Amino acid sequence: MLCALLVTASLVSLRGMERSLHAPIGFDPKGVVVAMADMQMAGYSNDSALPVQRRIIEEASHIPGVTAVGTVNEAPLSGRGSGTGVYRDGTSDLRPSNILSLAKYFAVSPGYMQAAGTKLLSGRDFTWDDGPKTPWVTVINETLARRIFGTESPLGKHLLTSGGSRYLVVGLVENGKYDALTEPAGNALFFPLGQYHTADTTLIVRADRPQPEIAAALNHLLSSIDSSLPFQLQAWDDQMAFVLFPARVATAALGVMGLLAAMLAVTGVFGMSASNVSKRMRELGIRVALGAHRGQVMSTALGRPLLVLVVGSVSGLALGVLASRLLAYLVYQATPRDPLVLLGALAAMVLIGLVATWIPARRALSVNPAQLLREE
């Protein structure tokens, strides 16, 4: 039972890991260098940071090989970020009980969507003309659009956020992962940096040149703009490795435990089978002498060990289904309902049964009644 449980859990984790590596997360970290700058430590306020942020974006876009540049206050899946309540336009009572939906929000610069690889499904991206003297605008994701506007297009419509701010929806982007890979499809709002000033700055730079070269150019650029500005450069893929770390640890641990459990299961079933055959050799000889078929001999010799294996396997698979609910908190889309997981677990248990009973079965089928009678 324990063997089947661990084998099922390890296969669920492996399939979840495979999905997580190809899952749609709302952005594409490949070929991107991230620069996390602490502008507050350098003495910038939310308002005074904007001119420097614009200069960084402008100069970074001129680095050879760079195809897109943008900033976000907190990158998705960074373990940080903020949320707000969202109300339908026209709501006058903004108490929390009247919130239609909660949503993550991000302050992004023009060009962030392209740099991050976030697909703009309809509408427009932000521009630097979206400033404090123009109507407040937002870009929302598909889930939030369906939650507020149903099947209607959200473009040109308004929504309210906590505090009573009213925003015009100018764009619609694909869904993404914002807090964890295992989260369900969540709601998200994007505000233009020109209207939502913040010193929290994560520079996203997409390029078609090797990342070490881009990182070196960014290091020189940021140091030349403000030598007192602390920043950290990292490939976005490397940053994502931290997000996948819990799933990788769970998969490796379950894989090792599954292998050990399989070895114990083989040893236990083999021992039981061999002992059963040894104790019943005289009976088996008599059955063969009386004309018993090979199937009847096998049933007599290995029936009990195989019954134990089948009952334990079924129980273990059932417990594996329950355990997958816990794994879902660590591994993306961990589910035992995947046909490959079920077939893999069944195949593993069948293989364990064959390996464990092969030698006892051969011994049972090679019973020689005449030799047994002479020994008696």
Side-chain angles (χ1 to χ4, degrees):
M1 181 175 69
L2 179 61
C3 175
L5 168 61
L6 291 176
V7 167
T8 303
S10 62
L11 289 176
V12 167
S13 296
L14 286 171
R15 284 289 288 167
M17 274 295 298
E18 191 273 336
R19 291 191 188 96
S20 68
L21 295 175
H22 303 90
I25 56 177
F27 59 92
D28 181 11
K30 295 179 181 178
V32 174
V33 176
V34 174
M36 293 168 286
D38 193 337
M39 301 192 72
Q40 290 181 332
M41 186 174 289
Y44 294 98
S45 66
N46 287 338
D47 291 329
S48 63
L50 183 60
V52 180
Q53 290 166 332
R54 291 192 63 170
R55 181 183 172 190
I56 291 174
I57 294 171
E58 175 66 22
E59 296 192 17
S61 65
H62 293 146
I63 296 176
V66 170
T67 57
V69 184
T71 64
V72 60
N73 60 327
E74 300 291 352
L77 296 179
S78 64
R80 299 182 295 273
S82 303
T84 182
V86 180
Y87 305 82
R88 281 197 176 93
D89 189 32
T91 303
S92 57
D93 187 353
L94 301 182
R95 287 181 297 181
S97 59
N98 291 330
I99 289 176
L100 185 64
S101 182
L102 292 173
K104 297 285 293 184
Y105 69 83
F106 303 89
V108 304
S109 73
Y112 165 78
M113 303 296 181
Q114 182 180 357
T118 300
K119 296 178 182 177
L120 184 65
L121 302 178
S122 61
R124 68 172 178 86
D125 195 357
F126 299 129
T127 70
W128 289 115
D129 292 330
D130 295 316
K133 296 183 179 180
T134 60
W136 286 33
V137 296
T138 184
V139 171
I140 64 177
N141 73 344
E142 296 173 275
T143 301
L144 185 59
R146 285 194 300 269
R147 182 74 178 91
I148 301 177
F149 305 109
T151 58
E152 298 179 2
S153 172
L155 302 182
K157 294 182 173 63
H158 291 82
L159 56 81
L160 302 177
T161 61
S162 298
S165 300
R166 187 170 185 256
Y167 291 89
L168 171 68
V169 180
V170 297
L172 177 69
V173 297
E174 64 178 322
N175 288 332
K177 301 294 183 180
Y178 308 111
D179 286 323
L181 284 176
T182 55
E183 70 186 14
N187 306 299
L189 293 158
F190 297 87
F191 301 132
L193 187 62
Q195 294 179 343
Y196 190 99
H197 298 170
T198 175
D200 296 327
T201 305
T202 299
L203 184 69
I204 308 294
V205 180
R206 181 173 296 278
D208 54 16
R209 286 176 58 196
Q211 291 181 338
E213 296 180 13
I214 299 300
L218 286 173
N219 182 70
H220 176 74
L221 170 64
L222 294 172
S223 299
S224 65
I225 290 178
D226 188 341
S227 59
S228 66
L229 179 65
F231 58 88
Q232 179 183 355
L233 292 169
Q234 190 176 22
W236 210 354
D237 273 336
D238 294 340
Q239 192 179 83
M240 287 293 295
F242 178 78
V243 178
L244 294 172
F245 180 74
R248 286 173 173 167
V249 170
T251 301
L254 287 170
V256 171
M257 289 190 291
L259 180 61
L260 293 176
M263 294 172 62
L264 289 174
V266 169
T267 303
V269 174
F270 172 80
M272 184 185 301
S273 303
S275 175
N276 197 53
V277 170
S278 296
K279 291 178 180 178
R280 307 184 70 172
M281 285 295 290
R282 186 167 181 273
E283 176 188 349
L284 295 175
I286 294 174
R287 286 177 178 271
V288 171
L290 294 176
H293 299 296
R294 294 169 65 91
Q296 293 173 321
V297 174
M298 288 289 290
S299 176
T300 301
L302 303 176
R304 186 170 179 272
L306 290 177
L307 178 62
V308 171
L309 180 64
V310 170
V311 172
S313 299
V314 172
S315 301
L317 288 172
L319 289 176
V321 171
L322 298 177
S324 66
R325 296 181 180 179
L326 298 177
L327 287 174
Y329 290 100
L330 295 174
V331 183
Y332 179 72
Q333 289 186 357
T335 173
R337 291 185 293 274
D338 188 328
L340 289 179
V341 170
L342 293 176
L343 291 175
L346 289 173
M349 298 314 298
V350 169
L351 180 62
I352 288 173
L354 290 175
V355 171
T357 60
W358 176 255
I359 295 178
R362 289 187 61 186
R363 186 182 180 192
L365 292 176
S366 63
V367 169
N368 188 329
Q371 181 179 353
L372 286 175
L373 290 174
R374 283 196 300 270
E375 291 178 356
E376 289 292 331

